[in-house]
Amino acid sequence: RDSSTSRGIGDVYKRQIAAGFLFSLTIETLQLMLRLGTFQLSDICYNTLGGMIGGVMFWIIRLIRKQ
């Protein structure tokens, strides 16, 4: 692998956190605009945390399967 094009594990985590945050923010904004629920900042935080935990679990399972 070329070191100039490979992504470090930190970059992967940043992208994962950003994706989880943006997805959750989109859902919460749609709830607010369509009046289908309540907009809560805690939901955004918890959903982002859940995305991080899910990503770590995926990474661990992937490491176990490679062995």
Side-chain angles (χ1 to χ4, degrees), residues 8-61:
I9 194 76
D11 292 335
V12 173
Y13 285 137
K14 288 176 189 174
R15 290 181 67 187
Q16 176 184 344
I17 292 168
F21 174 78
L22 289 175
F23 183 74
S24 183
L25 182 64
T26 301
I27 297 298
E28 290 295 318
T29 303
L30 284 172
Q31 284 182 347
L32 180 65
M33 291 172 51
L34 299 174
R35 297 180 184 186
L36 294 173
T38 59
F39 182 92
Q40 294 183 344
L41 290 176
S42 61
D43 283 348
I44 295 173
C45 294
Y46 294 141
N47 291 339
T48 303
L49 179 63
M52 291 169 48
I53 292 170
V56 168
M57 289 173 62
F58 175 79
W59 181 68
I60 290 171
I61 291 169

